[in-house]
Each structure stands twice: as C-alpha cells, then as structure tokens.
Amino acid sequence: MSYHSYADIIIDISHESLDKTYQYAIPDELSSLAVIGAPVLVPFGKGNRLINGYIVGLSTEPKISLDKIKPISSVVEGAPVIESHLIYLAYWIKETFGGTMNDALKTVMPVKKAVRIKEQRNIIRIKPIDELRQIYEEQLKKNSKARVRVLEALLTDNELDYDKTIKTLNIGSPVINWLIDNDIIRIESKQIYRNPIDKKSSTRTPIRLNDEQQAIVENIIKDYNEGKRYTYLIHGITGSGKTEVYMDVISEVIAAGKQVIVLIPEIALTYQTVNRFYDRFGERISILNSRMSDGERYDQSLRAKKGEIDIMIGPRSALFTPFKNLGLIIVDEEHEGSYKSETTPKYHAVEVAIKRAELTGAFIVLGSATPSLESYRKCSLGEYKLYTLTKRAKEASPPKVWIVDLREELKQKNRSIFSRKLKELMEERLSKQEQIMLFINRRGFSGFVSCRSCGHVMRCSHCDISLTSHVNNKLLCHYCGHEEQMPRTCPSCGSKYIAAFGTGTQKVEELVKREFPWARVLRMDTDTTKNKGGHQKILSAFANHKADILVGTQMIVKGHDFPLVSLVGIIAADLSLYAGDFRASERTFQLLSQAAGRAGRDAIPGEVVIQTYHPDHYSIITAAEGDYEEFYEQEMLYRRLMQYPPAAHILLLLVTSKEEDKADKAVVHVAEALKEYIRTNEIASQIIGPAPAGLAKAKDIYRRVIYIKDENYDILVGLKNYLEGYFNYSGQFTGCGLQFDFNPMSSY
Ligand code: ADP
Ligand code: ZN
Ligand code: ZN
C-alpha cells in the first residue's frame, strides 16, 4: 500500500500533548477530508484500539519508516467541534503572523493542570457558651496556656479558620484533640469551588440607556437577528456609556443561547469593572488574568467548555476560551498595545477575534475613546460599521484643558517641575478638599541619568538602554535588572554635573511632598503594585479619600472612577512623543486623552494641565481639544507620506545571536536573499536596513533588524514564508534566531 500524504495527530488537546504528535498515513479516499483541525479516529498502541485525535500538521513525506506508519481509520464528520476550530485558528495564526505550528497551538490551548481541590477547614464550637466559660476558668487555674488561648478565641467566635488558628495561636494537635474529645468543638471541612470572582452584593440601580446608546444597541441587534455578521466600532469618549451598550448587546446574545468573550486590557480589568458585569450577569461570568495559576486558568476553561458560564472576561488570552456556541466577541479599548502578543506568534487579538468570529458565525464589537488608526480607517473603507457616542452619559461637561509651555517656565526662572499654572490649581484644589491626579507617562523613559556638561547618558552594559536612577544612589536597568552605583562625576568628561534627567514617579512624589507638605500623597507604579492586591489597595485608599494626590504612571489613567478628582496634571507630555517609533504621536494622543478623561467625572467640573516642551504639536493640541477626527487626519497624512501602517504594511525581521559578528553576517545574508527574491518575483516591496535594533543588545543577545514595507499584506506573508524556509534549511544560520512581527506595536 502506498500513500501520498501524512498527518501529524495529537491525541488530546493540551500543551503537553504537543510533545507527543504521532504521524499517520492518509488513505487517498480520505485526503479531501483530512484538513488541519479535523477530528479523526486512529488505531493506537499494540492492540490497535481506535481512539480520537486531531490533525495538526500535513506533509507529503513520512518521518519514520513506512512499515511502521499506520493509516487513519476515519475522519469524524458532522458539525465541527470546538477543538477543530481552535486548531484551525492556530494554523491561521501561524500562517498570518509567523512562527511554528507548535508556537501557535500553545497559544490557543490551555496548559493542562490537575485541578487541585482546595479545602477549607473550620473549628466549630458545639459546647454551650456558659459551659465553655466554666471550662475556660478551670484551664486558667491549671495554667494550661495553649488551651486557654483557643478557649478565649471560642468565647468570642463560634467558628474559627482551622489553619489560621493553629498558626496564630500557636497550638498543636494535642490541644485540638483534647477539645474534640471533650465535645467542645468539631472540625468541619468543605471544598471550595474555585470561582475567581470576589463576590459583592449588588447595590446598583438599573440604568436606562440614553437615545444614542439605545440606537446603537437596536441597530446591532437588528443586524444580528437578520443573520448579518459585522464588525462594529463604537467610538465614544471615556464615560460616554460604552460598557452599558456592551452589556445590553451581551444580554440579547446570551438570551439567544450563545456565549460571549469580553476582552479588556489587563490594566483596566479592575474590581470595579468586573463587579459591574457580575451585578448584571451573576455567576454566569468568569474572568481570566495573568495572576491566576495554570490550574485556575484550566478550571475556567473547563467550566466554559462544560457550559457552566456564558461570559468570559479577560485580556488577550481569553480569546481562546473554548465556548461551544460563541456568539459575540467584544474588544474594549481596542487601540491598546497589549492586544498585540510580544512573543511568537506575534498576533493581534483584534485580527484573531475577527477570524474566530468568521469561523463560528459570531460578530465583533470594538470600543475605544481613541480608536487605533487601523480600525478607524477600516470604518472609512466600509469594512467596519462605525457608531459614535458624543456625550458623557452622566451630565458632566468636558474638562477645561490648559497647555503649558515648559520653555516659557524656564525663561521665567521657574525650575520646579510644577508650572505656575499647575501649582496654582493644585493649591486651590487642596484648599477645597478635592482630589488631584499627577501623571507621568512612562517609567522607562524618565529618570535617566545624563551629564549636563557633555550630554553623556548612563547606559546598561548588557542592554544598551539608559539606566534609571533609584533610591540609595543606585542605577537600575529596567530591562535586565542590572544595578550599579550612581557615579559622582561623569565617566566621559569628569564633570560633576551628572544627574537624573526628567522625573520618575518616585521623584514626583518627593517633590509634591516638599511643595505641599500638608497634602496626603499616594504613588502607584510597578514598584508599589508588585504585591498581590497592591493595585487595589492603593486605588481604594484613593477612592475613599485617604489621600489628596495620586501620583502614577499610565496605570492610573485606566478605567477608574474617582468622583472627587477635579484636576489632572500631566507632568511631561513629551516623554512619549519622542519614543522613537512611528506610533509615538498616536500613543501620546491616546495617553493625553485618557488622562484628561479622568478629570471631572461627576458633578465637579474638571481641569487638566498638560506640561510640554512642544505646545504646538498636533497630537497635544488635538488631545487638548478632544478632537479625534482632526488628529486622525493629521496623523494619516504622516503615515501616508512615510508609508507607515495603516497606509501600508510593515514586516519587521529581527535577527538575533549571542555573537555580534554572527548577527551582523546573518542579517546581511537575509537582506541579500530578500533582495534576490524581490527581484526575481518582480514585487515592489521596499527594504529598510539592515541595522542594529534600537535595543541593539538585550540580555547579552545582539539584535539586528530589517523593515519591509508593502501595501499588500499577502506579499509580506509570502516573503515571510520564503524567509522561514531559507533560514531553516540553508545551513548558514546556526546560532542565530529569526523573528517576524507584522505591523509592530512596540519599538525594537
Ligand atoms: P465607558 O465604558 O464609555 O467609559 P460607562 O459605560 O462606564 O462608559 O459609563 C460611564 C458612567 O456613566 C458609568 O458610571 C455608568 O454607570 C454611567 N452611565 C452609562 N450610561 C448611562 C445612562 N444611560 N444613564 C445614566 N448613567 C449612565
Ligand atoms: Zn560629561
Ligand atoms: Zn540591562
């Protein structure tokens, strides 16, 4: 018997099974059915027992000797199962964004972890209280201290947490046994079902949608009932009521017996947000987040598969929740960079969401106050349907925005990081007992140390990025963690005018305390939120008015409602403007718009102060005016002129090696192969580079880049496929790595 094609089969769908794929032959009569993702029956083991598997790869060559290969028995037909969809989706991700099939499968599959059932043990008092008091007195007289400690506790509480009691009261099992033997207590244990949501009972009154919101919901549901499946973009400023629209649409979809995935960036996945969904949909929702263990995540994925929940809320990875009957995917804050994966395959969640929806007959709702240029352009091309929410849902007027020119401040001899305007408004707010948020856009860019005489910047010897000044005169690399002492004089020119430039959150906190010693200040950044719950602690302290001023990074501008905040200060708006990649202006616009949206959420009118060295830059002016359309037009001019996305597509190639000359040689080889391919295939792609990456060395690995631009995405995919083959099989690239990133979101 001879065969023409072969299939790689996995037996069950989990990360672990990827290490065990088995090759089977495909009989000719099955070849049209044997596609990636297809469920199959295969003979397995010595007895050739028939078991279920899925096809994850196809090839024309056998990997083992022919007489050992068994044929697939049959392809299971009928409605495609969820596993088939996910495997096919993985295949599509691999094709569209690069990487191996294994990388892609790992992205869509859960890590299988045995579900550890947690037990909660309690100590329950069963003796009447007056008898207990008697026993207590006796033991007191006998001076048996350990017994007295527990009895004391039992006199105030009928029920004690077993583990906690043992630990805090420092008692051993003899004492517990004595209590049990004398019928004073019994031990009760119950299993805790792992629900990741901390429940809190609802206090919300139902909301009636306004006309704008209502019209959007009705239009979307009308399309849905007519069997039309579109992608919608809801453009509405922060607080315009997008979330309420999502929830009404979700209700309709669930009522039709379908399930819903809600993507929310991790940073905005706050207690407040989850609670709103919980209030509305109760136990039928679940969440995923990166702090959960593999076991907890696996639990939630099983619950989804078993039909125990209807809504999964989470960041990017929630996209792969194995719902059997998916009806809707919502992507909130669709412009967020975190929707792009940083590891191979470097997929974009919005694009994958659209593909998954297409495979399963679902539809998509995207929402943002500052839509990505990509999405907004698709609306103008008719690929998405655009809806706009123009006003804040709660009657609040937009904030008043001041742009302050920092150059002017210096001329006026004001060397403080607070402009005169900001200081004046801060004093006024503090005297009125209102709250203030001070925003510094990014940790990595601020606090770098430079010499004011010669301009020398202190850099990490492993990563080639600037070191950041920290407490105790230490300099720290935020990329690799390298730490060194702050020099007293400039290593380059010997001048003593070497100091931290710009301002980090810590520095701002210090300066606020110096200027306003009577104000209560909280700081929120990656340092103060490292511990579990750190986030929540700071936010609720601020919400409960335990502080007057909250200083923080972009963490503080997302999704939190603080009714008493009436002033937002943006300390240095330029830090993100010159970040050195083509999305810098867009990111600046987004950050400023979001920060401005924090001021004046309720009855108190808000004010915003933007401090900048570039008061005439369009991203700053349009953000101050809240004019998205104008920003979009200006920015598109630049993108078109430079052929940057979304005007064209960019494919980034990253070549890496531990040895510098290997990296250099490899990237030149790749560039030559690329040029050759472009010439012979007569395509018009434009090559930029090769060059050292902006981060030319990281964790002792050298990084080189090539950028390729083309208006046609498929041509770039073709180039990727060609290069992948060339790189793996030409034999010239040992000790080197090659990664692809389509339309990158971050700088390299
Ligand atoms: P977004 O998601 O656009 O930021 P939200 O849906 O969170 O906006 O709404 C902002 C605030 O306004 C929330 O407190 C919400 O409960 C409230 N809200 C939304 N829609 C209405 C409405 N129609 N009537 C009254 N309050 C509303
Ligand atoms: Zn110097
Ligand atoms: Zn480093």
Side-chain angles (χ1 to χ4, degrees):
M1 182 96 198
S2 78
Y3 298 103
H4 299 97
S5 55
Y6 304 87
D8 298 319
I9 309 274
I10 57 171
I11 299 305
D12 76 338
I13 178 156
S14 72
H15 263 221
E16 294 68 22
S17 68
L18 289 174
D19 302 329
K20 292 187 232 110
T21 59
Y22 303 91
Q23 199 180 38
Y24 284 84
I26 302 172
D28 284 348
E29 68 272 17
L30 293 182
S31 64
S32 63
L33 295 173
V35 293
I36 302 261
V40 292
L41 279 175
V42 291
F44 197 74
K46 280 223 177 76
N48 283 336
R49 179 169 59 93
L50 285 185
I51 61 168
N52 288 297
Y54 299 93
I55 300 180
V56 297
L58 295 169
S59 57
T60 50
E61 300 294 330
K63 291 178 204 161
I64 50 176
S65 78
L66 265 181
D67 53 314
K68 288 204 177 113
I69 292 192
K70 302 171 191 174
I72 291 173
S73 299
S74 62
V75 175
V76 183
E77 289 180 79
V81 290
I82 174 65
E83 284 79 4
S84 301
H85 276 310
L86 289 177
I87 292 170
Y88 182 78
L89 195 63
Y91 172 72
W92 180 84
I93 288 173
K94 161 191 122 60
E95 285 295 296
T96 315
F97 301 100
T100 64
M101 185 64 182
N102 256 22
D103 293 334
L105 284 167
K106 279 187 179 149
T107 303
V108 308
M109 288 178 183
V111 177
K112 205 172 205 168
K113 272 278 157 69
V115 179
R116 189 169 54 88
I117 292 172
K118 266 201 193 162
E119 260 195 357
Q120 159 89 44
R121 276 187 296 176
N122 285 330
I123 299 172
I124 317 273
R125 172 174 68 83
I126 49 178
K127 187 82 68 207
I129 196 90
D130 35 346
E131 285 179 43
L132 189 70
R133 200 162 286 127
Q134 230 170 1
I135 300 173
Y136 169 74
E137 302 289 345
E138 286 164 25
Q139 297 303 319
L140 206 56
K141 272 184 211 129
K142 286 189 191 160
N143 204 16
S144 40
K145 288 189 180 125
R147 288 180 188 176
V148 166
R149 284 200 296 275
V150 207
L151 291 168
E152 230 164 24
L154 283 168
L155 281 171
T156 40
D157 283 309
N158 295 336
E159 196 172 324
L160 303 170
D161 181 305
Y162 185 93
D163 295 328
K164 221 165 150 188
T165 309
I166 298 278
K167 256 195 228 125
T168 54
L169 300 184
N170 188 24
I171 52 174
S173 42
V175 177
I176 296 289
N177 289 337
W178 175 81
L179 289 165
I180 295 173
D181 293 343
N182 287 284
D183 291 326
I184 298 168
I185 61 161
R186 70 183 159 79
I187 307 291
E188 188 186 79
S189 49
K190 54 185 174 210
Q191 288 180 358
I192 312 173
Y193 185 59
R194 279 194 288 200
N195 191 330
I197 297 162
D198 277 334
K199 291 182 286 280
K200 202 187 84 184
S201 59
S202 162
T203 50
R204 282 164 60 87
T205 41
I207 278 173
R208 271 203 40 212
L209 296 190
N210 62 35
D211 292 348
E212 272 186 344
Q213 290 170 312
Q214 190 61 37
I216 297 176
V217 174
E218 277 168 14
N219 281 322
I220 292 178
I221 294 305
K222 184 165 168 286
D223 283 345
Y224 181 65
N225 289 336
E226 288 170 2
K228 295 174 184 155
R229 300 291 179 261
Y230 294 116
T231 299
Y232 305 88
L233 171 65
I234 303 179
H235 175 207
I237 53 165
T238 323
S240 59
K242 296 184 294 296
T243 308
E244 295 297 329
V245 171
Y246 303 153
M247 292 201 286
D248 269 33
V249 176
I250 290 172
S251 293
E252 299 278 346
V253 173
I254 291 177
K258 306 250 180 171
Q259 296 95 39
V260 181
I261 293 169
V262 183
L263 298 188
I264 295 180
E266 179 110 28
I267 197 170
L269 195 61
T270 58
Y271 184 74
Q272 281 174 353
T273 315
V274 174
N275 225 43
R276 274 174 80 179
F277 280 90
Y278 184 83
D279 279 352
R280 178 88 178 248
F281 301 104
E283 301 278 350
R284 301 297 294 178
I285 75 167
S286 182
I287 56 167
L288 287 180
N289 66 50
S290 63
R291 287 183 301 276
M292 291 163 80
S293 67
D294 287 344
E296 286 172 312
R297 299 170 69 85
Y298 186 62
D299 258 17
Q300 299 316 312
S301 127
L302 273 187
R303 290 179 70 201
K305 205 180 153 188
K306 285 195 222 144
E308 290 174 16
I309 52 175
D310 298 318
I311 305 169
M312 181 64 91
I313 305 173
R316 199 172 67 220
S317 59
L319 194 49
F320 305 108
T321 304
F323 281 131
K324 286 189 177 146
N325 210 353
L326 185 66
L328 164 64
I329 302 173
I330 288 172
V331 186
D332 191 29
E333 315 251 20
E334 63 84 34
H335 62 275
E336 267 291 315
S338 62
Y339 284 127
K340 180 81 183 269
S341 168
E342 283 134 27
T343 53
T344 301
K346 293 179 179 170
Y347 68 92
H348 197 295
V350 171
E351 290 172 57
V352 178
I354 290 172
K355 188 67 190 179
R356 184 164 181 201
E358 183 190 309
L359 291 174
T360 52
F363 69 101
I364 309 272
V365 176
L366 310 174
S368 175
T370 52
S372 65
L373 262 74
E374 276 82 355
S375 293
Y376 209 69
R377 184 156 179 272
K378 283 189 176 152
C379 292
S380 70
L381 297 175
E383 287 178 44
Y384 298 171
K385 275 196 179 186
L386 176 67
Y387 289 114
T388 313
L389 288 171
T390 54
K391 45 183 188 281
R392 290 192 177 191
K394 292 178 182 167
E395 296 300 328
S397 46
K400 180 164 179 45
V401 183
W402 306 89
I403 299 177
V404 173
D405 187 344
L406 287 174
R407 296 171 302 186
E408 202 50 43
E409 293 296 309
L410 209 63
K411 270 193 207 150
Q412 302 298 325
K413 303 268 184 299
N414 176 15
R415 291 179 172 276
S416 147
I417 62 159
F418 306 108
S419 60
R420 289 159 300 165
K421 185 82 209 171
L422 180 57
K423 203 172 160 205
E424 171 200 321
L425 292 179
M426 283 175 75
E427 275 161 3
E428 190 210 5
R429 287 325 197 273
L430 288 171
S431 72
K432 287 202 286 188
Q433 321 258 314
E434 291 172 11
Q435 287 180 300
I436 301 163
M437 283 168 112
L438 294 180
F439 169 65
I440 303 102
N441 20 11
R442 219 192 263 197
R443 192 168 91 148
F445 289 110
S446 49
F448 68 88
V449 174
S450 65
C451 168
R452 273 184 279 169
S453 298
C454 76
H456 177 79
V457 174
M458 296 297 293
R459 288 170 176 274
C460 171
S461 52
H462 308 284
C463 297
D464 196 32
I465 56 169
S466 19
L467 295 165
T468 308
S469 75
H470 255 246
V471 284
N472 307 333
N473 262 336
K474 286 275 195 309
L475 300 181
L476 187 71
C477 170
H478 282 303
Y479 203 86
C480 74
H482 169 78
E483 205 182 78
E484 60 185 72
Q485 202 66 27
M486 168 89 186
R488 286 168 187 277
T489 57
C490 170
S492 175
C493 76
S495 143
K496 61 181 191 268
Y497 294 105
I498 185 153
F501 180 91
T503 35
T505 39
Q506 242 173 23
K507 187 80 182 161
V508 173
E509 184 191 16
E510 239 177 77
L511 293 172
V512 173
K513 283 179 175 159
R514 198 179 304 162
E515 293 260 2
F516 308 96
W518 65 94
R520 298 163 302 164
V521 188
L522 277 174
R523 171 164 64 95
M524 183 155 149
D525 55 23
T526 35
D527 285 335
T528 59
T529 56
K530 243 180 242 148
N531 301 328
K532 207 170 173 171
H535 242 96
Q536 199 50 50
K537 254 188 226 146
I538 297 171
L539 291 175
S540 44
F542 192 59
N544 295 324
H545 207 171
K546 296 260 162 60
D548 307 299
I549 302 174
L550 177 62
V551 176
T553 55
Q554 57 254 55
M555 274 181 203
I556 67 172
V557 305
K558 305 275 156 128
H560 316 296
D561 240 335
F562 300 114
L564 277 180
V565 171
S566 61
L567 175 63
V568 170
I570 294 148
I571 300 297
D574 306 343
L575 289 178
S576 59
L577 199 50
Y578 294 93
D581 72 314
F582 71 87
R583 296 186 201 273
S585 299
E586 186 178 6
R587 211 165 286 130
T588 302
F589 177 82
Q590 289 164 353
L591 285 169
L592 296 182
S593 306
Q594 248 155 10
R598 296 292 111 201
R601 301 278 289 174
D602 267 317
I604 310 172
E607 282 182 276
V608 178
V609 178
I610 301 176
Q611 306 192 142
T612 174
Y613 290 97
H614 300 88
D616 38 14
H617 192 280
Y618 63 90
S619 68
I620 290 177
I621 295 173
T622 53
E625 288 169 352
D627 191 348
Y628 178 84
E629 293 272 343
E630 180 60 24
F631 170 75
Y632 175 79
E633 294 300 332
Q634 295 268 345
E635 181 67 8
M636 273 311 290
L637 284 178
Y638 159 72
R639 303 280 177 102
R640 264 188 225 110
L641 183 72
M642 301 300 295
Q643 285 289 290
Y644 283 137
H649 296 284
I650 285 186
L651 170 58
L652 168 128
L653 306 179
L654 176 68
V655 175
T656 56
S657 178
K658 279 197 165 158
E659 290 163 56
E660 187 164 18
D661 67 314
K662 261 195 184 163
D664 284 331
K665 273 189 196 136
V667 80
V668 169
H669 273 313
V670 169
E672 277 164 8
L674 202 55
K675 281 175 192 155
E676 180 64 27
Y677 180 91
I678 287 173
R679 209 168 22 244
T680 50
N681 290 280
E682 297 182 357
I683 49 182
S685 309
Q686 193 189 337
I687 299 179
I688 303 153
L695 185 59
K697 183 184 172 195
K699 296 180 184 165
D700 291 317
I701 290 181
Y702 292 87
R703 297 151 53 90
R704 302 290 179 263
V705 291
I706 301 174
Y707 289 90
I708 313 164
K709 287 183 194 169
D710 203 300
E711 287 187 12
N712 186 335
Y713 194 95
D714 293 338
I715 285 184
L716 293 180
V717 169
L719 277 172
K720 182 235 0 165
N721 289 341
Y722 165 72
L723 284 174
E724 244 167 6
Y726 178 73
F727 199 82
N728 291 334
Y729 300 113
S730 79
Q732 303 180 50
F733 298 102
T734 42
C736 299
L738 174 64
Q739 291 179 34
F740 300 93
D741 191 352
F742 286 86
N743 296 331
M745 294 292 276
S746 50
S747 42
Y748 275 78

